[in-house]
Amino acid sequence: MAGILAWFWNERFWLPHNVTWADLKNTDEATFPQAEDLYLACPLAFCIFIIRLVFERFVARPCAMGLKIQANGPQKAQPNAILEKVFTAITKHPDEKRLEGLSKQLDWDVRTIQRWFRQRRNQEKPSTLARFCESIVTVFIFLQTPWLWNTKECWYNYPYQPLTVDIHYYYILELSFYLSLLFSQFTDIRRKDFLIMFLHHVATISLITFSYVNNMARVGTLVMCLHDAADVLIEAAKMANYAKCQILCNLLFAMFAILFISSRLGLYPVWILNTTLFESWEIVGPYPSWWIFNLLLILLQLLHSFWSYLIVKTACRAISKGKVGKWNPLHVSKDDRSDIESSSDEDDSPPPIQKHHSSATNGTNKNHATNGYLTGAPYTDEH
């Protein structure tokens, strides 16, 4: 075990040339980052997760109810034993061949079966009330560090820069926050970019850890502040959307889009990547953990580009639809990160009348026609 720890904490990987861990031990004159400081983040992350659950139940939920946000979820699919068996045991997204087979077996048309599967998938999604509560608890207060606008200050006398108390606690809180997000991602609404968000959280946690251990805390603080700035606006826009405050939603989304794209496609590469890649190269020089740190920063830039594409795509689609209707960039069924699946335009029309049989075969009963299909109530879209 000692050999593994010695290999992991190899000074030639973590620190610049001719710098040792002994050089970064705390003294009476100066305090430096210590790896064991980060252990505090694990129990704190658990506390944040519990506080979030309590806040969501006793604060966010009453606020949502006060705004008359609906607690009911998406429309439930009509009970059907055969389709339920296919959904739970075989596939939630049947292909064309399976749809045709089910159509013959149930004497339903293919579009009705597609609608059933879509409603059944959406049935497992939480209500608008739950989504509102999720958004309100993810607003996080971030710390400003105006003394670091000159990025070269990040590297003067590196790595012998004393760790200030505010940066120390900021790092612990940020690491705890992202650890709690990593945990809660498996209990929150599962969105289309689940894997991308998971990758983002892992990269962020790795960056926070790397930058703290090798005392890149100053530039690390800049990265975290830059990322926190836009997050508040998008969550506020979602809350306004769920509360049906459309004008406020549009305004907040526009502010978010401008801030996100300008900060993560402008400031981030020009300001952050420039100092970590080029200014630090000139002042400090590269070493193994320096390469890992910058690779993670570049990975974040790729994620920024992907999300900026989705934001622009969402805005363009909302504007184009606004020509004939209400401009709603964060409509639940139109958002690229939506937790509710949307139907195609052609599904907006009512389904054709089905052929019904009087026999009670394949799991029918007195109140239903074939396989539990309610003859008197056609399926409606989940919008």
Side-chain angles (χ1 to χ4, degrees), residues 182-194:
L182 190 67
F183 302 153
S184 62
Q185 191 179 2
F186 295 91
T187 60
D188 286 344
I189 303 167
R190 190 179 181 91
R191 302 186 185 276
K192 295 178 182 179
D193 63 349
F194 175 87

Side-chain angles (χ1 to χ4, degrees), residues 160-311:
Y160 304 108
Q161 299 165 334
L163 180 69
T164 60
V165 175
D166 55 346
I167 290 183
H168 168 72
Y169 285 112
Y170 182 52
Y171 255 79
I172 299 300
L173 286 173
E174 282 281 339
L175 181 58
S176 303
F177 179 68
Y178 279 103
L179 282 172
S180 69
L181 286 182
L182 190 67
F183 302 153
S184 62
Q185 191 179 2
F186 295 91
T187 60
D188 286 344
I189 303 167
R190 190 179 181 91
R191 302 186 185 276
K192 295 178 182 179
D193 63 349
F194 175 87
L195 293 178
I196 298 294
M197 285 301 299
F198 181 81
L199 182 62
H200 173 269
H201 294 333
V202 170
T204 302
I205 291 169
S206 301
L207 275 169
I208 293 173
T209 304
F210 265 80
S211 61
Y212 188 85
V213 169
N214 61 13
N215 203 12
M216 289 186 179
R218 292 192 174 190
V219 70
T221 303
L222 291 180
V223 174
M224 291 187 290
C225 284
L226 189 67
H227 280 75
D228 289 340
D231 294 341
V232 176
L233 288 174
I234 186 60
E235 297 302 334
K238 291 179 182 178
M239 290 162 55
N241 180 55
Y242 300 143
K244 301 186 185 303
C245 300
Q246 196 53 53
I247 296 177
L248 180 60
C249 171
N250 297 342
L251 177 62
L252 290 171
F253 179 81
M255 293 170 58
F256 160 75
I258 293 171
L259 181 58
F260 186 97
I261 295 174
S262 62
S263 62
R264 306 203 187 186
L265 295 187
L267 281 176
Y268 182 81
V270 173
W271 190 39
I272 301 295
L273 291 183
N274 177 66
T275 191
T276 59
L277 285 170
F278 303 111
E279 291 180 349
S280 66
W281 183 293
E282 296 176 0
I283 299 173
V284 180
Y287 51 97
S289 68
W290 179 94
W291 288 104
I292 300 296
F293 182 71
N294 278 285
L295 285 174
L296 289 171
L297 289 175
I298 293 172
L299 173 61
L300 277 185
Q301 181 59 59
L302 295 176
L303 294 175
H304 295 165
S305 301
F306 171 75
W307 280 316
S308 296
Y309 161 75
L310 291 184
I311 291 170

Side-chain angles (χ1 to χ4, degrees), residues 109-112 114-115 118 321 342-352 379 381 383:
D109 63 38
V110 171
R111 206 179 76 183
T112 301
Q114 288 176 325
R115 185 180 292 109
R118 183 170 58 253
K321 288 183 178 295
S342 60
S343 61
S344 61
D345 293 337
E346 66 180 10
D347 283 345
D348 292 335
S349 59
Y379 285 92
D381 291 336
H383 293 296

Side-chain angles (χ1 to χ4, degrees), residues 311-336:
I311 291 170
V312 172
K313 180 181 177 182
T314 301
C316 290
R317 185 169 57 190
I319 291 172
S320 64
K321 288 183 178 295
K323 295 176 181 178
V324 294
K326 185 182 292 186
W327 190 75
N328 189 354
L330 288 180
H331 192 283
V332 179
S333 63
K334 297 292 189 291
D335 188 359
D336 282 292

Side-chain angles (χ1 to χ4, degrees), residues 147-166:
W147 50 272
L148 281 179
W149 288 110
N150 180 6
T151 55
K152 286 190 176 181
E153 292 185 17
C154 297
W155 311 109
Y156 290 153
N157 197 32
Y158 176 82
Y160 304 108
Q161 299 165 334
L163 180 69
T164 60
V165 175
D166 55 346

